[in-house]
Amino acid sequence: MMREEHGNVAPALISKGEDVGEIRVDIPYQLITILETIYSWVPKGKIAVITRRCDEKALAELTKRNYIDEKRIIKIGLACSKEQIAKCRCSDPVPSKVDIGEPNEPVPKDDLSERLAKLSPEERLKFWVKQFRKCNKCFACTHNCPVCFCDDCVLEERTFVPEQSIPPGLSFHMIRSYHMIDKCIECGECERSCPAEIPLLTLRKMLAKDMKEVYGYVPGDPKAVSPLNTTLEGETLEDECDEC
Amino acid sequence: MTDFRPTILAFCCNWCSYAGADLAGVSRLQMPPNVHVIRVMCSASVKPEYVIKALSQGIDGVLVLGCHIGDCHYMTGNHRTAKRMPLVQKVLKETGIDEKRMKLDWVSAAEGEKFQKVITDFVQDIQKLGPNPLREVKF
């Protein structure tokens, strides 16, 4: 949960019968990213976590890939406020079980992605080159992402992103876009944590739309298998090989 | 753009397409010399990163050639490629690079003529598209 202490808000884990303190639910922090870290520290017992709809979808993606055992997680559903939904341009804001807050209407469209879709390819390239030039390779988008879970990140390999190169070039964000395409749950943490204010959530939303168009797949469903892990006939393959 | 000579990478799988390319060469089929063939063990070992990196560094076009579906030496390798590459094209499209600069096709070891046709057609397509705009972009 998020707790306010000495005027600052930070994630907190409470394991004893202590006073919970002042809980804040208005800050869209990805608690699942924290849960991934502390999960191995807590060898047994259950962990309760405040989950928005996006957190719930992130948990589904993680349990599907055997990073987290769903039986050990208790979800406390949080419905986002109207302001928050508008900020995330969220199209799916209501969790399966609402414990805190009132369910609000989704925002169906993202203005920037609609504007970009109308542009010619040259103008779109110009727009993204300008945006990606602001990138200073801080890896905030990667570290704060709840569904970025690989042990060895390709973006830290010199083959794909040269060392000592800032900005890292166009390929950095394109490679990341491809890697997120079957996992991204559109929580918007990449955009919020980006110090250069690159509209990364817009890029994710555009590609999520394409994914839906090509394969009819929407990440966040605990049962559906990613089309990248099935054959053309739909049989499930093993997870992608990291060696090749 | 008749004097534009594109630079093209072709990832060919060891078991089918590379042998197909070999056959095309042995049969002395004429084709444009703009293509650099890279032999890979399977079309599935062509990571999408390779395609993205090549294009972002100014290569004009990338061909990925593999065995026909059902003929893969590793049973389901080309299924993976077939699933991945449309998404790579979407990533290219959304960032403003023409998705036609990346092409996936299947060439078997016996199809020297098909290899010639695929190469010739792709080089013509890329000539129509012109140079990769990212050649000019400096980061």
Side-chain angles (χ1 to χ4, degrees):
Chain A
M1 75 185 88
M2 300 296 290
R3 186 167 62 168
E4 188 167 339
E5 230 173 323
H6 315 299
N8 294 321
V9 182
L13 174 72
I14 287 156
S15 49
K16 297 181 194 86
E18 60 195 280
D19 184 18
V20 177
E22 196 174 332
I23 297 177
R24 291 278 294 270
V25 291
D26 54 334
I27 291 170
Y29 198 87
Q30 279 303 311
L31 286 169
I32 303 303
T33 320
I34 306 289
L35 179 70
E36 269 174 83
T37 320
I38 63 165
Y39 187 75
S40 52
W41 303 352
V42 188
K44 54 185 174 196
K46 293 194 174 187
I47 307 170
V49 60
I50 296 184
T51 46
R52 296 180 156 80
R53 176 69 186 133
C54 47
D55 297 328
E56 211 173 73
K57 289 198 274 188
L59 266 178
E61 287 296 312
L62 288 168
T63 43
K64 226 178 352 185
R65 289 173 171 83
N66 293 329
Y67 279 84
I68 279 176
D69 181 8
E70 204 176 16
K71 286 188 201 108
R72 287 189 55 199
I73 308 294
I74 299 168
K75 290 183 274 188
I76 304 169
L78 166 63
C80 289
S81 66
K82 270 202 180 98
E83 297 76 46
Q84 195 51 58
I85 295 169
K87 244 182 233 168
C88 296
R89 292 92 82 189
C90 185
S91 56
D92 185 11
V94 187
S96 53
K97 185 164 96 35
V98 181
D99 296 309
I100 311 170
E102 287 291 317
N104 281 311
E105 286 294 306
V107 176
K109 62 183 172 82
D110 180 43
D111 294 335
L112 181 58
S113 64
E114 279 184 12
R115 196 157 59 87
L116 283 172
K118 279 185 204 133
L119 291 181
S120 69
E122 292 80 30
E123 287 173 308
R124 202 158 43 208
L125 185 65
K126 223 170 144 187
F127 174 84
W128 284 117
V129 166
K130 200 177 148 202
Q131 293 296 332
F132 294 157
R133 273 199 178 128
K134 298 193 288 189
C135 177
N136 59 13
K137 212 164 77 172
C138 68
F139 283 94
C141 49
T142 324
H143 287 307
N144 295 332
C145 179
V147 287
C148 246
F149 40 64
C150 303
D151 294 330
D152 298 312
C153 181
V154 279
L155 296 174
E156 286 166 23
E157 271 178 40
R158 281 191 214 171
T159 327
F160 302 117
V161 181
E163 222 180 10
Q164 299 176 341
S165 64
I166 291 175
L170 199 63
S171 56
F172 183 94
H173 286 286
M174 282 166 81
I175 290 172
R176 199 173 129 70
S177 300
Y178 173 78
H179 274 251
M180 301 318 297
I181 202 164
D182 67 330
K183 311 182 187 84
C184 178
I185 39 99
E186 296 169 48
C187 65
E189 189 60 31
C190 43
E191 188 172 295
R192 277 196 297 277
S193 52
C194 181
E197 293 176 346
I198 303 171
L200 291 166
L201 181 57
T202 298
L203 189 60
R204 299 280 170 278
K205 279 186 190 290
M206 285 156 78
L207 286 163
K209 210 174 136 210
D210 288 333
M211 184 72 173
K212 207 176 169 187
E213 244 173 59
V214 179
Y215 294 121
Y217 176 76
V218 181
D221 186 342
K223 289 194 190 78
V225 184
S226 156
L228 292 175
N229 279 340
T230 58
T231 62
L232 290 169
E233 289 85 39
E235 287 165 42
T236 309
L237 296 167
E238 279 173 34
D239 265 347
E240 283 197 46
C241 170
D242 294 329
E243 305 298 321
C244 46
Chain B
M1 272 284 187
T2 41
D3 56 345
F4 163 56
R5 280 189 283 174
T7 313
I8 287 165
L9 288 187
F11 291 97
C12 293
C13 104
N14 178 44
W15 305 99
C16 297
S17 312
Y18 194 81
D22 210 17
L23 181 66
V26 172
S27 329
R28 312 221 163 174
L29 301 175
Q30 294 296 310
M31 56 189 121
N34 312 60
V35 180
H36 299 263
V37 174
I38 299 173
R39 173 153 69 161
V40 289
M41 285 313 280
C42 178
S43 56
S45 64
V46 181
K47 283 189 174 185
E49 288 92 319
Y50 299 155
V51 178
I52 292 171
K53 192 188 177 191
L55 287 169
S56 71
Q57 290 192 340
I59 289 283
D60 296 306
V62 177
L63 263 174
V64 179
L65 302 175
C67 309
H68 286 272
I69 296 292
D71 292 346
C72 181
H73 187 79
Y74 308 99
M75 314 310 284
T76 50
N78 51 10
H79 287 250
R80 281 194 197 276
T81 321
K83 286 283 183 82
R84 282 174 192 165
M85 293 308 163
L87 295 177
V88 178
Q89 285 180 322
K90 290 290 181 191
V91 172
L92 298 175
K93 193 189 116 205
E94 297 299 2
T95 27
I97 302 167
D98 202 311
E99 72 254 44
K100 285 196 218 85
R101 290 193 189 275
M102 198 252 119
K103 193 178 170 192
L104 171 66
D105 216 324
W106 315 118
V107 175
S108 83
E111 292 176 329
E113 276 171 29
K114 186 176 177 189
F115 183 82
Q116 179 199 26
K117 192 173 175 298
V118 168
I119 297 282
T120 320
D121 289 354
F122 191 62
V123 171
Q124 276 171 5
D125 287 351
I126 297 295
Q127 268 171 341
K128 267 181 220 148
L129 288 175
N132 186 347
L134 290 172
R135 270 191 195 186
E136 309 299 323
V137 177
K138 291 278 178 294
F139 262 95

